[in-house]
């Protein structure tokens, strides 16, 4: 075939390639233009929260329909689902509170929140606390509602730690200012949570401390010390509890006890493998029929893989990846240092919690009992997650472009509907007044430091010491005559 005959065949392929390039360029341009809008981060937080919340409600309904049935008490198939919906409604109210309350006012109460969290962690170890799943870390109220104070302690540590680190921003290059009082307070929380004992709560608290120091600009060698301390704490928690030790041993040798300690992790893998690419269909997963214990809570990601397949798991992973990108975008686009540290820390905490949960479901980590944010059935964890997302949405409205748009063009449809007040622009704190004594010291001229002589002059002084000393004596005499 000649080159003349090949040329007409190459033209359609070239045209298709050009059309594809134009389509990709158009989509990229439209996406870039939308992301450059002032409230893009705010709308993304709302969308991600809504999507993850809807997926959680649907999957909890599917997962808990079998576990809720109890012939002895007469409980129906929707008992756990109704409870989850109640907590979703409470979480939505908490989300609006975190969105509506000005961040300046939230910052004013962070010290009280930190003190209250430590007090609750102490009280839960007394007879006032209740023991569930081998850990005395719960408060039971009326036999229906129970909550874990460690969940509130994570948010309090993030908000209070960011406040302290911002207050000490100019002296964070000194280790004592960087460490005190944030690290001792965090270690006190670690000790109280380890006393319950709660391995998952200790690990997530360590993630909060790690993120705080990272976004505050701590030196890298400090993170090595924290990581080593975290590993040591996890080992201690595993050794002092028999069932946690069994979980670690089953992770190291999953085939050793397939009907005992390794049963839950092994059934989760079977559920994921059984789903295939598209899954068995919503509500058709057999693992919830007591094959996979606690499937509606810690192992709900395995049910997603079984009923929605690899596609469903990929969607969930993409949503959490999008949450990580949006949260870090909010942190980088804000100019208020406290909002920057808070947004970054809360984002890392949520995404790390999701990564830990998915990691032990797929067999990459030992089972720690950490829930999947917004998707697992739960009370305290769900409400606290909604509070965190409300604070993130509030922080998104404090981006400089968003503040300018909201104060000049109005609150918009969503803000007008919920009557969200316009955020105030960031004003750097005023410099502290200098005392009279310090002002007097500052007014005195500083002693002039003699500049080192150039290399040529130093050589000359070594070669001709007498001449240099004579000139110096002449200068002294002339000054004396004056």
């Amino acid at each position: 075939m000649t080159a003349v005959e090949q040329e007409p065949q190459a033209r359609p392929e070239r045209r298709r390639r050009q059309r594809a390039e134009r389509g990709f360029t158009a989509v990229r341009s439209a996406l870039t233009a939308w992301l450059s809008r002032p409230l893009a981060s705010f709308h993304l937080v709302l969308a991600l929260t809504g999507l993850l919340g809807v997926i959680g409600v649907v999957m909890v309904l599917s997962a808990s329909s079998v576990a809720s049935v109890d012939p002895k008490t007469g409980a129906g198939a929707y008992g756990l689902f109704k409870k989850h919906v109640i907590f979703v409604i409470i979480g939505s109210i908490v989300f609006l509170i975190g969105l509506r309350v000005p961040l300046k006012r939230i910052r004013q109460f962070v010290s009280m929140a930190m003190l209250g969290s430590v007090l609750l962690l102490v009280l839960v170890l007394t007879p006032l606390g209740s023991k569930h799943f081998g850990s005395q870390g719960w408060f039971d109220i009326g036999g229906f509602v129970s909550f874990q104070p460690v969940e509130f302690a994570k948010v309090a540590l993030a908000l209070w730690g960011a406040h302290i680190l911002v207050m000490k921003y100019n002296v964070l290059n000194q280790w004592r200012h960087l460490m005190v009082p944030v690290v001792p307070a965090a270690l006190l929380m670690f000790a109280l949570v380890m006393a319950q004992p709660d391995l998952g709560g200790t690990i997530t608290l360590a993630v909060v401390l790690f993120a705080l120091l990272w976004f505050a600009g701590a030196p890298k060698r400090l993170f090595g010390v924290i990581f080593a301390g975290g590993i040591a704490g996890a080992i201690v928690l595993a050794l002092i509890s028999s069932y946690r030790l069994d979980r670690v041993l089953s992770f190291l040798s999953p085939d050793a006890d397939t009907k005992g300690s390794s049963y839950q992790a092994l059934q989760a893998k079977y559920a994921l493998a059984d789903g295939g690419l598209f899954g068995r269909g919503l509500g058709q997963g057999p693992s919830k029929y007591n094959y996979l214990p606690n499937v509606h809570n810690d192992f709900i990601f395995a049910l997603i893989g079984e009923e929605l397949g690899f596609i469903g798991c990929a969607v969930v992973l993409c949503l959490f990846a999008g949450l990580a990108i949006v949260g870090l975008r909010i942190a980088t686009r804000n100019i208020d240092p406290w909002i920057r540290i808070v947004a970054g820390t809360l984002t890392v905490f949520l995404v790390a919690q999701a990564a830990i949960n998915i990691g032990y479901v797929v067999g990459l980590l030992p089972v720690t009992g950490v829930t999947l944010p917004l998707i697992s059935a739960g009370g305290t964890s769900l409400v606290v997650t909604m509070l965190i997302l409300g604070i993130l949405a509030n922080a998104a409205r404090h981006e400089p472009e968003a503040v300018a748009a909201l104060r000049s063009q109005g609150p918009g449809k969503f803000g007008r509907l919920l009557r969200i007040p316009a955020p105030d622009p960031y004003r750097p704190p005023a410099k502290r007044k200098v005392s009279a004594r310090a002002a007097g010291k500052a007014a005195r001229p500083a002693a002039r430091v003699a500049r080192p002589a150039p290399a040529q002059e130093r050589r000359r002084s070594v070669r001709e010491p007498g001449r240099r000393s004579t000139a110096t004596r002449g200068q002294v005499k002339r000054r004396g005559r004056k």
Side-chain angles (χ1 to χ4, degrees):
M1 185 180 293
T2 62
V4 179
E5 295 177 349
Q6 292 178 355
E7 186 176 355
Q9 296 180 359
R11 288 178 182 177
E13 297 179 0
R14 190 183 308 164
R15 290 174 182 173
R16 283 193 294 268
R17 193 182 304 114
Q18 290 177 354
R19 290 175 183 173
E21 291 176 356
R22 290 173 185 172
F24 176 75
T25 304
V27 171
R28 185 178 61 181
S29 302
L31 182 61
T32 303
W34 189 85
L35 289 176
S36 62
R37 298 174 63 182
L39 293 176
S41 301
F42 173 68
H43 293 146
L44 284 172
V45 172
L46 296 182
L48 291 170
T49 303
L51 289 173
L52 287 171
V54 169
I55 292 175
V57 169
V58 173
M59 295 312 302
V60 168
L61 174 60
S62 175
S64 63
S65 58
V66 177
S68 298
V69 178
D70 190 357
K72 296 181 181 179
T73 60
Y78 301 104
L80 291 175
F81 172 71
K82 291 178 181 178
K83 189 176 180 180
H84 180 75
V85 171
I86 291 174
F87 281 113
V88 168
I89 295 173
I90 297 174
S92 301
I93 297 173
V94 173
F95 176 87
L96 293 177
I97 292 174
L99 176 60
R100 284 181 53 86
V101 177
L103 292 179
K104 290 183 180 179
R105 187 169 298 178
I106 292 177
R107 187 177 178 182
Q108 292 174 357
F109 294 97
V110 293
S111 299
M112 295 178 59
M114 183 66 178
L115 184 61
S117 299
V118 174
L119 181 61
L120 288 176
L121 289 177
V122 174
L123 291 178
V124 80
L125 297 175
T126 65
L128 295 175
S130 301
K131 195 168 186 178
H132 297 280
F133 308 106
S135 173
Q136 188 171 350
W138 302 77
F139 286 111
D140 289 336
I141 301 175
F144 176 75
V145 179
S146 60
F147 71 94
Q148 289 179 280
V150 67
E151 298 294 337
F152 296 100
K154 299 168 188 176
V155 183
L157 177 61
L159 300 178
W160 176 79
H163 170 71
I164 296 298
L165 292 173
V166 169
M167 294 290 290
K168 291 189 169 189
Y169 185 76
N170 294 326
V171 290
L172 288 183
N173 56 340
Q174 304 177 22
W175 278 74
R176 61 187 182 92
H177 290 291
L178 179 65
M179 302 285 288
V180 180
V182 175
V183 175
L187 293 178
L188 175 61
M189 284 185 166
F190 293 167
L192 294 173
V193 177
M194 289 173 67
Q196 295 177 6
D198 185 0
L199 179 59
T202 307
I203 292 175
T204 48
L205 272 174
V207 170
V208 172
L209 177 62
F210 190 95
L212 273 174
L213 297 176
W214 177 270
F215 288 106
K220 294 181 180 179
R221 52 186 173 178
L222 178 62
F223 297 106
V225 177
I226 296 175
F227 183 74
I231 294 296
I235 293 174
V236 170
L237 281 176
L239 293 177
I240 63 177
S241 180
S242 59
Y243 82 95
R244 287 190 178 87
L245 182 60
D246 292 338
R247 286 180 175 181
V248 175
L249 294 177
S250 65
F251 170 73
L252 297 176
S253 55
D255 298 331
D257 189 10
T258 57
K259 295 184 179 180
S261 58
S262 301
Y263 177 78
Q264 197 172 17
L266 193 62
Q267 289 296 323
K269 294 179 184 177
Y270 287 158
L272 289 170
D274 196 26
L277 182 60
F278 298 103
R280 284 177 161 265
L282 190 61
Q284 303 300 319
S287 64
K288 58 189 175 185
Y289 291 92
N290 295 329
Y291 290 106
L292 180 56
N294 208 17
V295 66
H296 62 282
N297 198 347
D298 296 345
F299 284 85
I300 198 167
F301 187 77
L303 186 66
I304 294 175
E306 186 178 36
E307 295 188 351
L308 304 180
F310 176 79
I311 302 298
C313 293
V315 169
V316 173
L317 291 174
C318 289
L319 289 176
F320 280 109
L323 182 61
I325 295 172
V326 174
L328 296 179
R329 168 190 165 98
I330 294 171
T332 55
R333 289 168 67 91
N334 267 285
I335 58 177
D336 188 338
W338 182 74
I339 297 179
R340 291 169 65 97
I341 296 178
V342 166
T345 302
L346 294 180
T347 301
V348 170
F349 161 65
L350 283 181
V351 176
Q353 184 172 339
I356 292 171
N357 178 274
I358 295 172
Y360 69 68
V361 169
V362 300
L364 297 177
L365 295 173
V367 179
T368 54
V370 177
T371 59
L372 188 60
L374 287 180
I375 297 180
S376 295
T380 313
S381 177
L382 177 62
V383 173
V384 170
T385 302
M386 294 293 285
L387 174 62
I388 291 173
L389 291 170
I391 294 175
L392 276 179
N394 200 342
R397 289 170 57 87
H398 282 75
E399 295 178 3
E401 295 84 358
V403 172
L406 290 171
R407 297 184 72 87
S408 61
Q409 303 175 9
K413 295 181 180 179
F414 190 83
R416 193 178 298 108
L417 177 64
L418 299 177
R419 297 182 180 180
I420 304 175
D424 296 325
Y426 171 69
R427 292 184 179 87
K431 295 183 179 180
R432 296 180 180 178
K433 294 182 179 180
V434 185
S435 62
R437 185 175 180 182
K441 289 183 179 180
R444 297 174 187 172
R448 298 183 67 180
V449 182
R451 294 182 179 179
Q456 187 176 359
E457 293 294 332
R458 288 199 297 269
R459 292 195 210 100
R460 216 179 267 173
S461 63
V462 174
R463 292 176 184 175
E464 302 175 351
R467 181 179 175 183
R468 189 172 182 83
S469 60
T470 305
T472 305
R473 286 195 296 270
Q475 292 177 0
V476 173
K477 289 181 180 178
R478 284 194 294 272
R479 291 175 182 172
R481 289 174 187 174
K482 292 181 181 177

